[in-house]
Amino acid sequence: MLYPGKLGLLHVAKKQLGLDDGDWRDLLEEVAGCRSSSELDLEGFEAMMRCLKQLGFESTYAAGPYGRREGMATPDQVRLIHRLWREYTGADDIKALDHWLENSFGITSLRFANTDTTSKAITALKAMVARKQTS
């Protein structure tokens, strides 16, 4: 079962390429072996995305901020913080990260971090990882 966002992306591509329902189902069957996008697994989704890109689909998702306000953490900063947290803790525990952010910086979640707080968190996490590696 795919996340709703992935299904939504497929339907955006379908609309952008002007595919009618019959053509869409034929394409699904040819590429992924099913007649409905709700039947796709991750492998089928990825195969469909490759095919749709070959047909000319271009996602505009990365072009816009989509929920990111000016002055807030960038997607690259968020990915770096998650990577550093995984290196430090050995786990991908978002609740523990949020708890650390609240105790250290007074924000309840990474999504509320501005660029200043994000920079401080990255610096702190790099130091924590370095200390852990030397001990």
Side-chain angles (χ1 to χ4, degrees):
M1 182 76 174
L2 294 177
Y3 290 108
K6 290 187 184 299
L7 289 173
L9 182 60
L10 288 171
H11 290 283
V12 167
K14 173 185 169 185
K15 184 176 180 180
Q16 189 183 99
L17 294 172
L19 298 171
D20 66 27
D21 198 48
D23 290 339
W24 176 249
R25 292 184 189 282
D26 291 344
L27 185 63
L28 276 168
E29 189 167 33
E30 182 179 326
V31 173
C34 60
R35 298 281 298 166
S36 171
S37 57
S38 64
E39 298 171 3
L40 285 172
D41 57 10
L42 186 57
E43 186 179 317
F45 169 79
E46 290 171 352
M48 282 297 294
M49 289 307 299
R50 283 191 300 273
C51 177
L52 293 167
K53 286 178 183 175
Q54 288 176 342
L55 293 173
F57 171 64
E58 292 182 19
S59 174
T60 58
Y61 179 79
Y66 294 91
R68 182 182 167 269
R69 294 189 323 259
E70 189 66 34
M72 301 305 279
T74 66
D76 287 338
Q77 290 173 318
V78 170
R79 281 190 290 274
L80 178 58
I81 288 173
H82 282 282
R83 184 179 61 77
L84 290 167
W85 185 254
R86 278 191 304 274
E87 281 182 46
Y88 179 68
T89 64
D92 198 13
D93 187 351
I94 301 301
K95 286 185 179 184
L97 173 60
D98 288 344
H99 182 72
W100 176 77
L101 288 167
E102 185 170 13
N103 287 338
S104 302
F105 303 101
I107 57 171
T108 57
S109 178
L110 186 54
R111 66 189 172 114
F112 300 123
N114 60 29
T115 52
D116 183 50
T117 303
T118 304
S119 294
K120 290 176 185 176
I122 289 169
T123 301
L125 281 167
K126 283 180 179 179
M128 291 163 58
V129 169
R131 277 194 308 270
K132 182 180 180 185
Q133 290 174 348
T134 59
S135 59

